[in-house]
Amino acid sequence: MSEDFETESDITKALGSEGLFVVPSGVEKILSYNNTNELVKEIISSVDSGETIDEDTVSSLYEQIDKETDDNSEETASEKEEPSTVNTSSPQKQSAEGDIISPEQAYNKIINIKKDKKDARSVINRKDTLDERYPEIYDTVFNREIPDIKPRLDCPTEYEITGDITGRSRSKGDFEDFKSLFGDRHDKMINLLSQRTGSLYKVRDIHKKRHAGETITVAGLVWSKFVSKNDNYFVDLEDPRSNELMRIGWVVDENDRQIKEMFEEIIEDEVIAVRGTLADDGGIIWGDDEVRRGRPPIMFPDVPRKRGKNTPNTPVQAALISDVHVGGEDFYPTYWNQFVDWVRTNPKVKYIFIAGDLVEGIGVYPDQDEELDILDIHDQYAMTGLMFEQFPDDVQIFASVGNHDTVRLAEPQPTLDDKFTKYFPDNVEFVGNPANINVNGVDVLMYHGMSINSIAEVVPGLDAEEPIPIMELMLKKRHLAPIYGKNVRLAPEEEDYLVIEDTPDVLHSGHVHKYGQGEYNGVKIVNTATWLGQTSFQKSKGIVPDVGYWSVLDLSTRDITEKVVEKEEGDE
Ligand code: D5M
Ligand code: FE
Ligand code: ZN
């Protein structure tokens, strides 16, 4: 909306559309006053004090100011032409004014104050009526005996969000931006790869700098891979900055398992390095001689082995969960209560990480509405917000987003809009997907996990039901979604935020609704399953979820422990 205040209709429209006053004669006056500041400040103060502005109030304000202006100036009629005269005509008034703000700033301020107040009212109204509208879940969660909160362990809450797309998205959705995205992926990954392989060539530099017969290491984006009729393996590597391609080939015999296995792990659009000999005509690099010399056929950037870092002396804990799916009829409030009670009664727990899919959402898959307890997306978040109020308010919560939340599906996903975060208590910090968060010196990388299914689809031997080996592969490839297409949509950002630039201490995902934990080169890996029972969509896909699981991360030792709720016969 333009707020230029240039014409009468600008103002009437702007104010009117926000449910504010519209007094035609007053609008004329705003335009003609050069001491609009005075007028709008009066209006602001009346809004600030909680009064609603009706036409009478505004009229009387106008009258009052009209009168003051008349007292101070004899040439009201000509003010419009010479706006500076009255502004400086009353030093007394000027000093009482404090900062001079423009009508536009004043207008924005009014709008914001009004909006905040309206929002606050609607949040309260919405939360206050959840009990009538959703009695079943409400009663189970809120009308029960809840254990007292035990005071938390004495250790300062220190955290920093070290990586998050939220507020930094520059995607315009152009095709050009995809070129920039893959160019950035290429450059970042080459940098990571060269730390492991030593000097390497980009595809565009090969012919400029090397001659036939030389053995070189080259890195590029996997354009395609294929097996020839004679069972030889080929990969075409691309340099997205120059659009040049280089073909790599391996002539292999039946028994060469290593090359076969590594070849299967290659995913299109990831960046890899290979070593081989540039053929006589320069058209291909042959890698098999190198393999016979005992070198690995393909090099991934990998994560270095983690060395010990500073960790807190006190055994502070973080609870890790994901996929709460509030609003879905298969959500288990009784299980959730067990988790809440565990947090309330465990003084060591000072952080909660949630790796996305806070709510079940609306219209996420066909006929989903038939399986919703809460059909309104605002109510889903309002209920979740109210549920989160049961956590101790000195427990710091980090909430990320997933494909069921109200954000763009394309990754990286910025976090929820204020429209939804307003339902949550102040101890919830909303982050995008993925997000890097450092708590008391420990780096946690949260990623919802949409690429897990896609990777399982293209790499033989991997299964989305067992997420840990897939998450290991992400670390090995230093990329959270080294695949384009399938379930993963990428936003054409200028930068690739899904490259794992810094090795985390913990990689935390969800999405596949299967619990798992493991470790890779010293990085703890965990997938924290879900709080939603099997939906008919999942049934049709043969997905049997793990419900009611969470992980406990001890920040002083970085050990991860699995927790699961007590279940009753007939559950799930
Ligand atoms: O994911 C819940 C489960 O459903 C998880 O195993 C992934 C799987 N899933 C999600 N979306 C799809 C599509 N489009 N195809 C196949 N499998 C899928 P959630 O994100 O909670 O719905
Ligand atoms: Fe989910
Ligand atoms: Zn999901």
Side-chain angles (χ1 to χ4, degrees):
M1 188 196 321
S2 155
E3 286 127 22
D4 291 328
F5 293 99
E6 273 177 8
T7 65
E8 182 170 326
S9 81
D10 283 346
I11 297 179
T12 8
K13 254 194 267 160
L15 297 181
S17 71
E18 296 290 336
L20 282 165
F21 55 86
V22 186
V23 186
S25 63
V27 170
E28 265 166 46
K29 285 190 182 109
I30 292 185
L31 285 167
S32 65
Y33 277 136
N34 58 2
N35 64 343
T36 310
N37 290 329
E38 198 63 18
L39 172 65
V40 289
K41 279 193 167 184
E42 291 272 1
I43 296 170
I44 288 168
S45 73
S46 82
V47 181
D48 268 335
S49 65
E51 293 165 32
T52 46
I53 297 199
D54 54 29
E55 296 207 0
D56 287 348
T57 317
V58 176
S59 300
S60 74
L61 275 168
Y62 283 129
E63 272 165 34
Q64 198 184 326
I65 289 177
D66 241 353
K67 204 163 148 284
E68 281 176 25
T69 316
D70 283 345
D71 292 346
N72 290 325
S73 167
E74 273 139 37
E75 32 174 354
T76 336
S78 65
E79 276 169 14
K80 201 173 179 177
E81 282 83 56
E82 292 192 58
S84 61
T85 47
V86 178
N87 249 348
T88 51
S89 68
S90 169
Q92 198 191 337
K93 212 200 271 172
Q94 185 92 51
S95 61
E97 267 174 22
D99 293 340
I100 303 274
I101 52 174
S102 71
E104 191 173 343
Q105 288 167 318
Y107 167 75
N108 286 333
K109 190 157 186 220
I110 296 174
I111 296 294
N112 287 335
I113 294 165
K114 283 288 274 190
K115 197 169 158 293
D116 289 351
K117 285 188 191 296
K118 215 167 115 193
D119 279 357
R121 265 198 307 277
S122 82
V123 168
I124 293 166
N125 288 345
R126 198 176 279 275
K127 283 190 177 172
D128 277 356
T129 53
L130 288 172
D131 57 342
E132 293 159 24
R133 291 178 295 136
Y134 312 102
E136 229 170 282
I137 166 169
Y138 189 94
D139 276 352
T140 315
V141 175
F142 301 102
N143 293 334
R144 66 185 180 105
E145 264 187 47
I146 187 163
D148 287 342
I149 289 173
K150 291 211 180 122
R152 301 293 109 175
L153 212 65
D154 190 20
C155 176
T157 300
E158 283 173 1
Y159 74 88
E160 190 186 348
I161 316 283
T162 50
D164 183 358
I165 180 74
T166 304
R168 292 197 290 158
S169 173
R170 300 179 61 185
S171 167
K172 296 182 295 292
D174 300 351
F175 183 71
E176 277 302 302
D177 290 338
F178 275 112
K179 278 182 72 175
S180 167
L181 173 74
F182 286 107
D184 185 63
R185 173 182 297 191
H186 175 260
D187 297 353
K188 277 183 180 155
M189 295 301 295
I190 282 195
N191 183 33
L192 290 170
L193 275 162
S194 65
Q195 289 168 24
R196 184 148 175 260
T197 65
S199 81
L200 48 78
Y201 288 91
K202 300 179 184 100
V203 171
R204 66 172 179 271
D205 289 334
I206 295 172
H207 291 117
K208 266 187 260 163
K209 301 193 174 160
R210 306 318 300 180
H211 303 289
E214 285 193 75
T215 299
I216 57 169
T217 306
V218 56
L221 201 72
V222 177
W223 173 266
S224 67
K225 65 168 188 177
F226 60 95
V227 182
S228 73
K229 269 192 267 171
N230 303 332
D231 270 348
N232 294 322
Y233 294 85
F234 293 93
V235 170
D236 285 339
L237 292 184
E238 187 205 13
D239 185 330
R241 298 288 191 195
S242 71
N243 296 330
E244 285 167 80
L245 290 177
M246 186 74 216
R247 178 160 293 179
I248 323 294
W250 294 271
V251 178
V252 293
D253 58 53
E254 272 298 292
N255 308 321
D256 200 341
R257 296 195 57 80
Q258 191 192 19
I259 168 77
K260 277 185 190 159
E261 277 167 20
M262 285 195 100
F263 189 83
E264 286 185 340
E265 255 183 40
I266 298 177
I267 294 174
E268 281 175 17
D269 291 315
E270 74 168 325
V271 181
I272 58 169
V274 296
R275 199 173 153 79
T277 310
L278 194 58
D280 282 348
D281 64 356
I284 190 166
I285 290 175
W286 293 108
D288 39 292
D289 275 352
E290 280 302 301
V291 179
R292 265 171 234 122
R293 284 184 201 122
R295 294 198 184 244
I298 297 149
M299 288 158 276
F300 299 106
D302 225 316
V303 288
R305 277 222 153 260
K306 283 296 263 188
R307 268 169 281 136
K309 280 204 295 191
N310 290 339
T311 36
N313 301 323
T314 22
V316 207
Q317 295 175 343
L320 276 45
I321 61 167
S322 58
D323 298 83
V324 192
H325 289 268
V326 174
E329 69 175 5
D330 300 297
F331 170 70
Y332 273 82
T334 50
Y335 290 2
W336 180 257
N337 290 346
Q338 291 185 45
F339 174 62
V340 170
D341 294 356
W342 177 84
V343 173
R344 290 171 69 95
T345 53
N346 271 280
K348 290 179 185 171
V349 182
K350 299 206 53 164
Y351 303 95
I352 298 173
F353 287 81
I354 310 168
D357 281 357
L358 288 177
V359 299
E360 175 63 2
I362 311 277
V364 179
Y365 56 83
D367 298 326
Q368 186 201 23
D369 52 335
E370 288 167 18
E371 291 182 51
L372 287 175
D373 268 349
I374 303 179
L375 272 155
D376 179 301
I377 189 69
H378 277 273
D379 285 345
Q380 290 185 2
Y381 282 110
M383 185 67 89
T384 315
L386 200 61
M387 283 159 48
F388 281 22
E389 285 175 20
Q390 293 186 331
F391 292 123
D393 49 20
D394 52 354
V395 166
Q396 180 61 48
I397 302 170
F398 303 103
S400 183
V401 286
N403 51 313
H404 284 249
D405 291 295
T406 50
V407 287
R408 77 174 182 204
L409 261 183
E411 300 178 3
Q413 299 177 286
T415 201
L416 294 177
D417 193 270
D418 297 349
K419 282 196 290 215
F420 303 105
T421 62
K422 68 185 182 190
Y423 298 116
F424 291 79
D426 291 342
N427 55 330
V428 185
E429 179 91 58
F430 284 90
V431 294
N433 170 40
N436 291 85
I437 301 157
N438 181 288
V439 285
N440 292 116
V442 177
D443 287 311
V444 179
L445 172 54
M446 261 204 292
Y447 170 61
H448 181 59
M450 275 186 269
S451 69
I452 296 174
N453 299 81
S454 313
I455 295 174
E457 271 183 60
V458 298
V459 180
L462 294 178
D463 181 352
E465 302 256 304
E466 272 188 55
I468 301 305
I470 300 175
M471 293 168 71
E472 278 177 23
L473 209 63
M474 294 175 189
L475 289 168
K476 189 168 163 185
K477 292 167 185 267
R478 296 292 285 267
H479 204 286
L480 293 168
I483 186 166
Y484 180 49
K486 304 275 174 194
N487 289 318
V488 179
R489 294 167 211 215
L490 298 178
E493 297 288 346
E494 284 173 15
E495 256 189 72
D496 189 345
Y497 291 91
L498 295 155
V499 175
I500 305 174
E501 287 190 73
D502 300 310
T503 310
D505 295 304
V506 180
L507 174 60
H508 172 205
S509 293
H511 183 61
V512 289
H513 297 197
K514 279 288 184 185
Y515 188 85
Q517 61 182 64
E519 186 171 335
Y520 179 75
N521 274 9
V523 181
K524 300 285 158 96
I525 306 173
V526 62
N527 194 301
T528 46
T530 184
W531 300 87
L532 182 78
Q534 191 186 43
T535 63
S536 23
F537 174 76
Q538 289 167 7
K539 200 168 183 178
S540 75
K541 302 245 169 204
I543 299 164
V544 183
D546 291 334
V547 191
Y549 285 75
W550 72 97
S551 300
V552 191
L553 167 66
D554 184 316
L555 295 174
S556 62
T557 61
R558 295 178 201 184
D559 285 339
I560 290 179
T561 317
E562 173 185 334
K563 296 273 180 188
V564 60
V565 297
E566 279 173 32
K567 301 184 180 182
E568 286 182 14
E569 204 139 321
D571 275 355
E572 290 168 44

